[in-house]
Every structure is written in C-alpha cells, then in structure tokens.
Amino acid sequence: MDMFCYQCQETAGGSGCCGAAGVCGKTAEVAALQDVLVYAVKGLAEVVVKGKVSLADFPDLPREVLKSLFITITNANFDGEAVMRQTEKLIAARDALKAKLPPREWSHAAQFAGGSQQALLAVRKEAGVLSAADEDIRSLRETITYGLKGLAAYAQHAANLGKESPELYAFLYEALAATLDDSRTKEDLIALTLKTGEHGVQAMALLDEANTAAYGHPEITKVNLGVRGNPGILISGHDLSDLEQLLEQTQGTGVDVYTHCEMLPAHYYPAFQKYPHFVGNYGNAWWQQAAEFEAFGGPVLFTTNCIVPPRKDEVRRRIFTCGAAGYPGCTHIEAGPDGKKDFSPLIALAKSCPPPKELESGEIVGGFAHNQVLALADKVVEAVKSGAIRKFFVMAGCDGRQKSRGYYTEFAEKLPKDTVILTAGCAKFRYNKLDLGDIGGIPRVLDAGQCNDSYSLAVIALKLKEAFGLSDVNELPIAYNIAWYEQKAVIVLLALLSLGVKNIHLGPTLPGFLSPNVAKLLTETFGIAGIGTVEEDMQQFLGA
Ligand code: SF4
Ligand code: SF3
C-alpha cells in the first residue's frame, strides 16, 4: 500500500510522505484510514448543511466531529482500529440523519458504506489528498482542512470543560462541507481560509475562557525541573481536564505527577498549584521523548499529541492514552458516560516502578498569559517608551526534530539584550532554558503557555496597540518569527492573519501543502516569509 500525506512540517522532502510509512511513523494503512475518517466527517457535514439539520437536536454530534478531526492530527493517533471505530460511528450517525431527511442527491462522501476495513480502504482514493486535480484547489482545501483540525482540537478541550459554541460548530460543518463542493472557486476558498482563521480566534478565546474559568488565570510561576524520590506519572499533551482528574486521583497515593512538553504550562494555573504532589516538569519537547521516557521509568499518559512511536516494548507497556490519542499496544483509558476517566491502572503501575531518574535540576519561569502581562502593562509600556525594550519577538509554535530548528536557539541567543521573546507552544523548548536574563525585572522570555495560548499573545498585542494609541497592530514594535509543525500551528497562523498581523516569518520551512500560487498569495497579501540565516533575519527584523 502507498500513501500520500503532507500535512506537517516534517513531510518527506518538504513535499509529501509516500511509500509504506510517513516520517512520523504513521503507516500507509493508518494514513489511508485517517483520510477516510476525514472524508466521513466531511460527508456528515454535507448532510448537516444541505439537510439543514437542527444541531440542537443532536447535541453529541459536534463532539464526535471534533474528536474525529483531532484523531487525524499529526502524532495524535496511530491506532488503525481506533480510527476505524470512529469512522464507523460517523457513518452510522450520517446515515441516521439522512434517514430523517427527504431523499436527495448526495456526494460520494455522504454515501459510501463502511462495515469492514476493506470497505473503508476501498474509498481511500476518493478520500485522499490527491483526489483534487487542480493543485491550487487542493492546496486551499487542505489548508482549510488542516486549520479545521487545529480548531477542532482547541474546541474539544473547551468542550471537555463545558464550554461550547453553537456558532463555532455551525461554521465547522459549513467549512467541512465546502471542501467537498466542486462549485467553490479558488476565490471562494481563499475567503473561507480567512474565515477559518476568524473562527480559530473564537475557538482559542473559548478555550482560554474555559481554562481560566476552571483553573484561574495563569500567573508568574517557577517550575521545578528536578525530581523527588517517589514513583511518578508523567502527563503529556494539552488537555487540562485530564490533568485535573489525574491529580485528584493520585492525591494521597504516594505517586507524584510530572508534566512533559505541552503540559508544562499547567503549572502556571493557580488551581493546580494546590496539589503538593504536582512536582514539576520532566524533559523537553515531544521529539525527545524516547530517551526521556526510558529515563522516567514510570507510566506516561498522553492526553493528545505528540506521540513518537516507542522504540522499546518496555516503554510501550508504560504508555497510556486517552481522548483522541492512541497507539497500538498501549492501554487506552476510555471516558465513562459522565466524561470521567479512571486512571487507577496508571497509579497501580506507578507504584511498581522506580522513581524517575533526574535529567536536570533548577527551575524555569513562566505564566505570562494575557492577564498576567496586562497586570504588568504599565511596566512594559514604560520599558518600551524609555527604550529599555526595543522590540518583542513572538516566537510561538511547535518544536520538531529537524536539525535546522537549531536556528531558533541561535536566534534567541543572538537577539540583542534589549529585546523580549513572547512564546507559547512547544517551540519554547528551543530556548526556555537559556539564561537570557531580564530587562528591569521583566524576563527576556515570556512564556504564555500552550500553542493555543498564542491567543494570549494576540490579546497582549491588541492591548499594547491601545496603550500606545496606534491604529494598526503592525505598527507595534513586535516581530513574528514563528515555528510550525502540526495542524494546530496552521490554525494559529490563520488566526493571526485574520487579526491583521502581517510579515510573519514561518519556519523552519514553509508548508508543503501550499501550492506555488497559494504561497505567492500569502506572501503578497500578508508578507509571509520563510526563514533565512540567523544573521540575515536579525538584520531584516532589526534593521541594524
Ligand atoms: Fe508525513 Fe507529517 Fe503526514 Fe506524518 S503527518 S505522514 S510526517 S506529512
Ligand atoms: Fe507541540 Fe506536538 Fe505543535 Fe501544541 S506538542 S505545539 S508540536
């Protein structure tokens, strides 16, 4: 079986993974099944949109759509069985909806039958990326689809905390259905791409509201990097409600909880600081997990991406997944009907494991989300007016394993001492442990949180625009040098564009799914550029 996937930054040769498996380790079979799942989601959306189905009558449906899209995000789920189960669920829901509607003509996506792996794989060609013959249409459809995957991930975290938006769901169906519609022109799809960005802002705002309502506003926090002598559980991914349940269930058990990668910013929330067994952060960004999980020695819980295929059975046996995450051979913790998850298998396993081996010691500081930075606004504005801060650099986004990402460490190191980095997402691990000092007490790396907290950076920029009495966000002394990897970064990028942010530098390479014409459009309309050498880019950003 052959495959084609180009949804992430590490796509083979910068243009597409094909052959038996992708660079991420996804097999051709799982890639095809994921394509079919996305196709089924689109077919369901078509039924909802064309059939004018009242969403209020099917309250569980949007969550299944969110989960389906989330499952197909890079490094979230490698379990073909789980992907098939979700596809069958969607096909059943789609057909149940159709049965209530008067007969009409549906597209193939709204009609194909499941029932077996063979039946699902039989539609892989129609479902695949290459089904659209025109490369610009394909590029725009995929840009929208990837943006929607990111949006769905954020909306699912918000929904897990009880925050949902019928308007956001209505857009999701509309946009998914539009990617099947051959009557949509390039111009239509360009407009829809921008509209996807606007809804990305809404999804991130909703998640911000959900997180802060449940757990308080992030505040300046020192996070411990060392370990204690108790057995531990390592939690990774982005879902804070899963973390809360884990912390509740591990209380008083003698088992400590550590964060990995994108779960690091959980330490900044007041509600989690009350747990004495929530010890600190262990390790670095997702791609370093193989060696770090071996050293950790205890159970690891993936609430979302990024999973790297474990190279040793011993480690695989210690990996658990929940939500949209999955990996064959790893235990998946299913939520009960009340949404609660039972983490007792992890706790029992942790008790039989040795305590984690120490990788490093010391502390890092974070917690600079919008509420905290705005509390310091006077100080920040003063520092800019006095010239103590010359420029801010938004260096949010994703980290990845390519050597070329050393660029971001070097860029952070070489930035002049009168500049401040605003970060969010796992991109931070390239420079958050460097000793870059502070400017009058303001640290030179301000970490807002997870990739979705890029929203916080946008809020900060908009507030600074007001504080300086500017009419355009691009007049601020803020430059954007963003790193991307998976599809959440796509929605973050589209969200920033919809807010009017121009001249974003995107690296380490531009997306392979942008056709030359679409890339040209982004360059000409929004000033999007790739990265060069650190020296060239520094010169361009600072003009010195
Ligand atoms: Fe390749 Fe990325 Fe797709 Fe994995 S997700 S198959 S690495 S393009
Ligand atoms: Fe990282 Fe996977 Fe994107 Fe949430 S954990 S930013 S790559």
Side-chain angles (χ1 to χ4, degrees):
M1 195 182 288
D2 203 358
M3 65 183 283
F4 183 80
C5 179
Y6 64 173
Q7 66 172 354
C8 82
Q9 187 272 325
E10 291 186 4
T11 194
S15 55
C17 290
C18 37
V23 172
C24 60
K26 183 166 74 174
T27 63
E29 188 176 281
V30 172
L33 290 169
Q34 290 191 356
D35 285 349
V36 177
L37 175 54
V38 173
Y39 195 51
V41 178
K42 292 180 175 182
L44 173 83
E46 178 185 310
V47 174
V48 169
V49 173
K50 285 193 182 163
K52 299 194 172 45
V53 173
S54 162
L55 294 175
D57 298 338
F58 302 95
D60 297 336
L61 203 54
R63 297 220 197 161
E64 294 301 335
V65 168
L66 299 181
K67 185 175 176 187
S68 304
L69 290 171
F70 203 164
I71 280 176
T72 69
I73 278 184
T74 301
N75 293 342
N77 201 316
F78 294 80
D79 184 354
E81 297 284 332
V83 178
M84 279 193 285
R85 275 197 303 277
Q86 189 65 17
T87 312
E88 295 291 358
K89 222 185 203 181
L90 282 200
I91 291 174
R94 180 199 75 190
D95 291 347
L97 286 182
K98 273 164 62 182
K100 291 182 198 279
L101 299 171
R104 64 177 298 159
E105 218 177 285
W106 299 107
S107 76
H108 178 258
Q111 290 190 63
F112 76 93
S116 67
Q117 178 171 0
Q118 203 185 2
L120 295 177
L121 288 175
V123 302
R124 56 194 296 260
K125 205 157 174 218
E126 291 88 342
V129 168
L130 299 173
S131 62
D134 182 289
E135 72 166 349
D136 296 331
I137 293 281
R138 185 192 311 150
S139 175
L140 289 163
R141 282 182 181 173
E142 293 307 316
T143 304
I144 293 164
T145 303
Y146 303 151
L148 294 176
K149 288 185 184 193
L151 184 154
Y154 294 152
Q156 189 176 54
H157 293 306
N160 289 348
L161 291 170
K163 295 269 185 216
E164 295 184 87
S165 159
E167 201 249 310
L168 200 59
Y169 290 155
F171 172 74
L172 191 58
Y173 288 115
E174 180 201 319
L176 285 166
T179 63
L180 289 176
D181 182 353
D182 288 333
S183 72
R184 302 270 180 155
T185 61
K186 288 174 199 172
E187 289 66 34
D188 295 337
L189 294 175
I190 290 165
L192 187 59
T193 306
L194 295 181
K195 221 169 149 198
T196 304
E198 284 164 30
H199 288 83
V201 177
Q202 279 182 29
M204 283 190 267
L206 189 70
L207 178 54
D208 183 74
E209 200 186 313
N211 284 339
T212 55
Y215 308 121
H217 280 283
E219 47 193 43
I220 301 175
T221 306
K222 285 184 182 160
V223 181
N224 169 37
L225 299 176
V227 299
R228 303 202 302 195
N230 303 324
I233 295 174
L234 190 57
I235 177 168
S236 193
H238 304 67
D239 197 281
L240 298 184
S241 66
D242 289 335
L243 171 68
E244 181 184 19
Q245 293 180 52
L246 181 66
L247 287 171
E248 280 296 315
Q249 293 175 34
T250 42
Q251 266 195 113
T253 61
V255 173
D256 288 338
V257 174
Y258 295 82
T259 53
H260 191 259
C261 191
E262 274 287 69
M263 202 52 92
L264 156 67
H267 291 280
Y268 312 153
Y269 288 88
F272 298 131
Q273 291 172 1
K274 68 176 190 216
Y275 295 96
H277 65 298
F278 190 34
V279 174
N281 189 68
Y282 190 83
N284 296 282
W286 62 272
W287 59 276
Q288 287 174 285
Q289 67 187 248
E292 292 175 356
F293 290 0
E294 279 170 34
F296 187 76
V300 180
L301 175 63
F302 274 103
T303 64
T304 69
N305 56 321
C306 278
I307 302 173
V308 175
R311 57 190 181 193
K312 291 188 176 167
D313 282 348
E314 184 279 315
V315 175
R316 183 186 302 217
R317 278 194 290 274
R318 289 192 274 114
I319 294 180
F320 294 73
T321 59
C322 62
Y327 196 86
C330 296
T331 306
H332 186 77
I333 309 277
E334 210 50 77
D338 55 356
K340 297 277 173 262
K341 291 160 191 161
D342 176 7
F343 293 126
S344 54
L346 282 96
I347 299 170
L349 177 61
K351 287 181 175 169
S352 69
C353 294
K357 277 191 203 135
E358 187 149 278
L359 295 177
E360 56 194 332
S361 59
E363 291 172 333
I364 46 173
V365 180
F368 297 92
H370 58 90
N371 196 66
Q372 179 66 79
V373 173
L374 296 176
L376 301 171
D378 289 349
K379 210 173 166 182
V380 172
V381 170
E382 192 38 51
V384 174
K385 286 191 172 155
S386 72
I389 296 180
R390 175 162 39 146
K391 204 158 196 155
F392 294 93
F393 283 83
V394 172
M395 291 177 71
C398 308
D399 197 8
R401 55 198 132 196
Q402 287 175 340
K403 278 215 168 62
S404 57
R405 287 186 186 253
Y407 163 94
Y408 294 102
T409 309
E410 195 189 333
F411 189 88
E413 278 170 335
K414 292 199 171 150
L415 272 174
K417 299 264 175 282
D418 55 0
T419 58
V420 171
I421 295 172
L422 302 173
T423 191
C426 64
K428 67 169 83 59
F429 285 98
R430 287 281 168 179
Y431 41 78
N432 67 344
K433 294 173 184 172
L434 301 174
D435 185 12
L436 296 180
D438 65 281
I439 300 175
I442 302 169
R444 288 195 52 234
V445 179
L446 300 181
D447 178 23
Q450 298 178 334
C451 49
N452 46 289
D453 295 307
S454 301
Y455 167 75
S456 244
L457 303 180
V459 172
I460 293 167
L462 294 172
K463 290 282 176 198
L464 286 179
K465 184 187 94 172
E466 265 174 47
F468 287 110
L470 300 171
S471 58
D472 182 347
V473 76
N474 296 299
E475 291 169 21
L476 283 165
I478 303 182
Y480 293 80
N481 195 4
I482 288 180
W484 82 286
Y485 171 62
E486 38 79 51
Q487 299 76 52
K488 295 182 208 180
V490 177
I491 195 62
V492 169
L493 175 71
L494 297 181
L496 289 175
L497 297 183
S498 82
L499 290 170
V501 176
K502 296 236 160 71
N503 303 323
I504 294 173
H505 286 233
L506 187 63
T509 52
L510 289 177
F513 56 81
L514 296 179
S515 65
N517 285 332
V518 173
K520 187 163 170 263
L521 176 98
L522 288 176
T523 311
E524 287 175 0
T525 318
F526 300 103
I528 289 196
I531 59 169
T533 66
V534 169
E535 286 73 21
E536 282 162 9
D537 292 352
M538 203 72 80
Q539 165 82 21
Q540 204 178 338
F541 283 124
L542 292 164

